[in-house]
Amino acid sequence: MKKKILIVDDEPNIVMTLEYTFKKKGLEVLIARDGSEALQILEHQIPDVILLDIMMPNVDGYQTLKFIKDNPKLNNIKVAFLTAKNKTTDIEKGLKLGADKYLTKPFSIKKIVSEIFELIN
């Protein structure tokens, strides 16, 4: 069975690049434009990994991660933040909330792919 990634980001160019890349690498790709869309998807599908932005409208990445980690059906999903928030305090907060990886924008697509495959293999 194909491994599944949920990409949660409100920047269309980033989403398109990541979606294309991960499909090319053989993953099934789910897309959400913000945290509330992500939570709706998670009601019906359980991905192997979530690539999650922090700064988004409606429900932000921190709130989304908290919901995932508080839910026994979802809390085993690997979550990597991908965000422009790159201060040490931001990174510490993200990891303390339960993120498995904290990746910053701008990013190298090669590094993102490598980090995601490290989480799901």
Side-chain angles (χ1 to χ4, degrees):
M1 216 166 92
K2 265 187 177 183
K3 296 277 188 178
K4 199 181 294 184
I5 184 171
L6 171 58
I7 299 169
V8 188
D9 201 306
D10 60 332
E11 294 181 43
N13 292 340
I14 288 176
V15 171
M16 279 175 19
T17 302
L18 293 169
E19 179 182 23
Y20 173 79
T21 303
F22 284 115
K23 279 184 175 176
K24 212 168 120 186
K25 296 285 182 188
L27 297 183
E28 182 181 332
V29 179
L30 306 169
I31 305 287
R33 307 272 179 241
D34 62 35
S36 58
E37 255 185 56
L39 298 177
Q40 287 173 348
I41 289 170
L42 291 170
E43 287 176 20
H44 309 286
Q45 301 201 50
I46 307 291
D48 297 284
V49 65
I50 299 171
L51 194 52
L52 181 61
D53 189 14
I54 292 175
M55 296 181 290
M56 297 179 292
N58 304 321
V59 178
D60 71 19
Y62 292 135
Q63 294 166 304
T64 305
L65 180 62
K66 182 171 176 7
F67 179 87
I68 291 165
K69 292 303 175 184
D70 288 348
N71 185 322
K73 280 180 19 194
L74 305 174
N75 66 13
N76 288 328
I77 300 171
K78 299 289 184 189
V79 179
F81 273 132
L82 177 60
T83 179
K85 292 176 79 69
N86 61 5
K87 292 189 182 124
T88 305
T89 53
D90 298 322
I91 296 168
E92 287 170 356
K93 179 178 180 180
L95 295 173
K96 191 189 248 179
L97 282 172
D100 297 285
K101 299 261 183 194
Y102 195 103
L103 311 166
T104 55
K105 298 174 184 175
F107 58 88
S108 142
I109 197 73
K110 204 173 182 176
K111 178 163 175 50
I112 297 294
V113 168
S114 146
E115 296 282 354
I116 291 302
F117 275 93
E118 188 179 296
L119 285 177
I120 60 177
N121 288 329

